């Protein structure tokens, strides 16, 4: 008998995020001199995978990152950045390179001196997406020579196969492959920052002491959670739980509960549920109290979200 896979907090987080790939992933065969210039964009992410050769990734004024064949990088929050052959010459928008006729992943020639680069753009919508993007930082790199390198190599091979020879269902398979890539980058990001001592909302999703409490928040956002009740679920004292949670996440347990409630409410409203239905499901006794809290934390009224079925960009408070 196969054991049921437990739904962990990271999986629950992904169920709330609206992650979308543009569907433009393709092989760029680039001969020197070449350079791609990408401006900043709200809640967007750019992914690059080097299939042959190497290139330089430079984000704003940070130190350049060299990517070799088999490496992949995700530029988070779409910081202004450039990808080039080392010369910084012939910098052009990504759209210019994408508009060229290029061979597919499997049919590109092996001409020397070229770089084969796959590029894709992701977006995250929703108020939780904004907080999530901020937590991720600026860039995550998956190295081909790392222990887990074979995982993303296999995914890219599947992507190339789908892109080169589309079959019925390709669009669905493609979107799922992109989501898997994003999960791999997310895992790498969380592990990278685990021991750096910096508060990050992702850290509570990987902490074994806080695991049960976070699961309960995600599964039952309408429960009247308190620090005391969450601490009991975690098997910790109230003070120890509050201190550990805040040190790891950078926000208090109660603030995290509110953030998750608002993210859950946003998704329910976007599905067309009424104000009263949503308020009850996320733990508010009155429609008015819920509407005030939602507006304060998301910058939009519940009615606006129901009408537009999408939340307009707004600065989110913790």
């Amino acid at each position: 008998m196969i054991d049921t896979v437990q739904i962990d907090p990271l999986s629950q987080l992904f169920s709330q995020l609206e992650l979308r790939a543009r569907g433009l992933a393709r092989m760029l065969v680039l001969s020197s001199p070449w350079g791609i210039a990408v401006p900043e964009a709200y809640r967007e992410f750019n992914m690059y995978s080097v299939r042959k050769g190497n290139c330089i990734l430079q984000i704003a004024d940070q130190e350049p990152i060299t990517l070799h064949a088999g490496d992949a990088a995700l530029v988070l929050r779409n910081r202004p950045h450039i990808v080039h052959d080392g010369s910084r010459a012939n910098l052009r928008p990504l759209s210019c390179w994408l508009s060229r006729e290029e061979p597919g992943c499997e049919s590109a020639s092996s001409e020397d001196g070229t770089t084969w680069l796959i590029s894709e753009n992701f977006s995250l919508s929703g108020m939780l997406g904004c907080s999530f993007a901020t937590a991720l930082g600026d860039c995550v790199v998956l190295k081909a020579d790392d222990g887990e390198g074979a995982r993303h190599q296999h995914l890219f091979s599947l992507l190339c196969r789908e892109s080169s020879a589309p079959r019925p269902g390709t669009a669905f398979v493609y979107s799922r492959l992109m989501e898997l890539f994003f999960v791999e980058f997310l895992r790498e990001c969380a592990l990278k920052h685990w021991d750096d001592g910096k508060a990050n909302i992702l850290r509570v999703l990987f902490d074994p002491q806080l695991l049960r409490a976070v699961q309960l928040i995600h599964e039952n956002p309408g429960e009247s959670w308190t620090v005391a009740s969450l601490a009991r679920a975690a098997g910790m004292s109230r003070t120890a739980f509050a201190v550990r949670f805040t040190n790891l996440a950078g926000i208090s347990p109660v603030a995290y509960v509110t953030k998750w409630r608002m993210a859950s409410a946003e998704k329910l409203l976007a599905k067309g549920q009424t104000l009263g239905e949503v308020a009850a499901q996320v733990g508010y006794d009155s429609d008015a109290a819920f509407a005030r809290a939602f507006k304060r934390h998301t910058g939009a009224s519940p009615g606006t979200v129901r009408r537009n079925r999408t939340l307009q960009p707004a600065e989110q408070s913790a």
Side-chain angles (χ1 to χ4, degrees):
M1 181 180 294
I2 299 176
D3 293 334
T4 301
V5 177
Q6 186 177 28
I7 300 179
D8 59 277
L10 181 59
S11 299
Q12 292 167 332
L13 173 65
F14 266 91
S15 72
Q16 295 288 26
L17 293 175
E18 297 292 338
L19 174 66
R20 294 184 178 89
R22 290 178 63 190
L24 297 176
R26 56 179 298 183
M27 180 73 74
L28 297 175
V29 180
L30 303 162
S31 299
S32 296
W34 65 269
I36 301 170
V38 183
E40 183 176 9
Y42 185 78
R43 290 188 197 167
E44 292 192 359
F45 306 76
N46 279 85
M47 181 189 73
Y48 304 98
S49 175
V50 182
R51 311 313 297 154
K52 176 182 179 292
N54 55 71
C55 64
I56 305 296
L57 167 64
Q58 186 158 13
I59 304 170
D61 57 354
Q62 298 182 14
E63 287 295 315
I65 301 169
T66 300
L67 301 175
H68 301 285
D71 295 345
L74 184 69
V75 181
L76 305 159
R77 293 181 287 170
N78 205 351
R79 294 287 307 280
H81 61 278
I82 57 175
V83 184
H84 58 90
D85 60 353
S87 66
R88 297 177 63 94
N90 198 21
L91 289 174
R92 300 160 63 189
L94 179 60
S95 57
C96 293
W97 298 105
L98 289 172
S99 65
R100 303 190 314 166
E101 291 295 326
E102 301 286 2
C105 292
E106 301 297 337
S107 60
S109 68
S110 57
E111 178 185 354
D112 290 337
T114 60
T115 297
W116 298 1
L117 184 70
I118 296 177
S119 172
E120 177 57 293
N121 177 273
F122 296 92
S123 66
L124 277 178
S125 62
M127 61 84 62
L128 190 61
C130 183
S131 300
F132 182 70
T134 301
L136 287 171
D138 293 328
C139 181
V140 182
V141 176
L142 298 176
K143 302 294 290 184
D145 55 5
D146 284 347
E148 295 293 318
R151 293 172 62 90
H152 75 270
Q153 296 300 320
H154 180 60
L155 289 174
F156 271 114
S157 296
L158 292 174
L159 172 62
C160 286
R161 191 176 307 167
E162 291 295 328
S163 300
S164 302
R167 295 179 294 172
T170 286
F172 179 83
V173 173
Y174 174 87
S175 65
R176 294 302 177 268
L177 286 172
M178 289 297 104
E179 290 176 1
L180 288 173
F181 279 125
F182 203 83
V183 171
E184 289 302 312
F185 280 112
L186 173 61
R187 287 169 167 169
E188 182 66 20
C189 179
L191 294 173
K192 173 183 175 183
H193 294 296
W194 180 251
D195 293 322
D196 64 6
K198 297 178 181 178
N200 187 307
I201 198 171
L202 292 175
R203 296 182 71 186
V204 299
L205 305 181
F206 289 81
D207 185 81
Q209 286 186 272
L210 304 178
L211 177 64
R212 183 53 184 159
V214 176
Q215 283 180 315
L216 290 174
I217 294 171
H218 289 184
E219 293 168 0
N220 305 289
E223 187 71 25
S224 299
W225 296 116
T226 63
V227 174
S229 62
L230 291 171
R232 283 195 297 272
M236 302 171 67
S237 72
R238 184 181 184 280
T239 300
F241 174 79
V243 169
R244 183 169 184 80
F245 195 106
T246 303
N247 286 343
L248 290 179
I251 60 175
S252 70
V254 173
Y256 187 87
V257 170
T258 301
K259 187 179 290 291
W260 189 261
R261 284 177 172 174
M262 295 302 106
S264 301
E266 182 187 9
K267 193 164 188 177
L268 294 171
L269 289 166
K271 290 180 178 179
Q273 293 198 21
T274 67
L275 184 66
E277 290 171 339
V278 176
Q281 290 183 67
V282 296
Y284 286 84
D285 295 330
S286 73
D287 297 0
F290 164 68
R292 287 193 299 271
F294 190 85
K295 173 74 173 182
R296 182 170 63 253
H297 286 276
T298 69
S301 69
T304 298
V305 176
R306 290 191 74 241
R307 286 191 299 272
N308 297 339
R309 300 297 172 94
T310 182
L311 184 62
Q312 298 300 315
E315 291 296 325
Q316 311 301 332
S317 62

